[in-house]
């Protein structure tokens, strides 16, 4: 799937032609520089490596790799398959790669929530619905297994633990606006991650 690297700016809402208020996310999408072209002859597959957001300081490996494309070292580098047409090293792909009305997938790292209990993390009912037999401790997990058989806790048992900070993909978000002069993409709904976090947009 072809796409771009972007940065989540934040959320807002706009009105459509029917007067309906639509929640949406503003993403700074590109411009992305082609830092490497993968070919079937050399790499065994075809893809484009795109870089986004210049680094102020970088090691010699990153600087030398970007120098071949005539660019500065990038903070975020991602490979995309499925680009149509001819693309050369050093070319720039902009937000105009997307058109208004089409549907895209956006993936990013979700907000970290820290160590959370079973009610927040897994949606357990708590004392009102007496999850797993517990009856007087509000948000406790309750029973986690049987007795002398199987004499262990099964793998995958839902318990308290660290929540968030995982890669999440949200599919089929509609492109509401493409603001080419400011490299902005306005998409319907929410996308994972905090403000200024990197997201990968695929079509």
């Amino acid at each position: 799937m072809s796409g771009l690297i972007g940065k989540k700016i934040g959320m807002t809402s706009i009105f459509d032609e029917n007067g309906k208020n639509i929640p949406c996310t503003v993403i700074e999408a590109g411009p992305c520089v082609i830092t490497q072209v993968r070919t079937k002859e050399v790499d065994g597959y075809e893809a484009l490596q795109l870089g986004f957001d210049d680094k102020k300081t970088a090691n010699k490996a990153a600087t030398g790799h970007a120098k071949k494309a005539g660019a500065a070292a990038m903070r975020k580098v991602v490979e995309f398959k499925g680009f149509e047409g001819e693309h050369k090293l050093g070319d720039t792909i902009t937000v105009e790669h997307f058109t208004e009305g089409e549907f895209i997938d956006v993936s990013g790292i979700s907000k970290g929530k820290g160590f959370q209990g079973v009610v927040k993390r897994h949606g357990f009912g708590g004392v009102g619905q007496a999850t797993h037999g517990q009856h007087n401790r509000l948000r406790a997990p309750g029973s986690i297994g049987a007795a002398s058989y199987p004499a262990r806790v099964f793998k995958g048992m839902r318990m308290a633990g660290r929540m968030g900070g995982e890669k999440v993909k949200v599919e089929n978000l509609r492109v509401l606006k493409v603001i080419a002069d400011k490299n902005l993409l306005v998409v319907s709904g929410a996308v994972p991650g905090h403000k200024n976090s990197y997201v990968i947009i695929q079509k």
Side-chain angles (χ1 to χ4, degrees):
M1 295 167 74
S2 64
L4 276 179
I5 311 166
K7 188 185 278 188
K8 178 177 174 179
I9 302 298
M11 289 197 73
T12 183
S13 61
I14 60 175
F15 290 94
D16 66 3
E17 59 276 4
N18 301 318
K20 188 178 178 184
N21 193 11
I22 302 172
C24 54
T25 305
V26 182
I27 300 170
E28 181 188 340
C32 294
V33 179
I34 298 175
T35 53
Q36 193 170 359
V37 179
R38 301 282 192 184
T39 59
K40 258 205 171 112
E41 298 76 41
V42 178
D43 305 290
Y45 66 98
E46 290 184 352
L48 294 180
Q49 187 189 84
L50 303 184
F52 175 69
D53 205 6
D54 292 357
K55 263 186 182 179
K56 287 183 180 174
T57 56
N59 58 27
K60 286 186 178 179
T63 306
H65 182 69
K67 198 174 182 181
K68 293 175 186 174
M74 304 289 179
R75 286 183 180 275
K76 187 74 173 173
V77 178
V78 180
E79 278 190 10
F80 293 90
K81 294 181 179 180
F83 274 100
E84 294 175 358
E86 286 291 318
H87 294 89
K88 299 192 298 295
L89 193 67
D91 285 358
T92 301
I93 297 174
T94 65
V95 71
E96 290 170 309
H97 181 65
F98 301 101
T99 54
E100 291 182 11
E102 71 177 343
F103 289 88
I104 59 171
D105 300 340
V106 180
S107 57
I109 305 297
S110 63
K111 285 182 180 179
K113 307 286 185 184
F115 193 101
Q116 296 298 331
V118 290
V119 173
K120 185 180 177 85
R121 194 177 186 217
H122 298 297
F124 281 19
V127 76
Q129 294 157 350
T131 304
H132 292 183
Q134 60 95 7
H135 63 95
N136 62 353
R137 291 163 300 161
L138 296 178
R139 301 169 74 92
S143 171
I144 59 167
S148 57
Y149 180 82
R152 65 192 178 93
V153 177
F154 290 121
K155 284 185 177 180
M157 177 65 61
R158 294 178 299 168
M159 293 185 180
R162 190 174 288 187
M163 180 181 174
E166 299 172 326
K167 187 172 181 181
V168 179
K169 180 185 273 193
V170 180
E171 298 181 328
N172 297 324
L173 299 178
R174 190 155 54 92
V175 177
L176 301 176
K177 277 187 182 178
V178 177
I179 307 170
D181 57 330
K182 293 183 178 177
N183 298 312
L184 295 180
L185 198 64
V186 182
V187 301
S188 63
V191 304
H194 55 78
K195 288 179 185 177
N196 292 321
S197 63
Y198 293 113
V199 293
I200 296 166
I201 312 152
Q202 294 174 304
K203 62 190 266 184

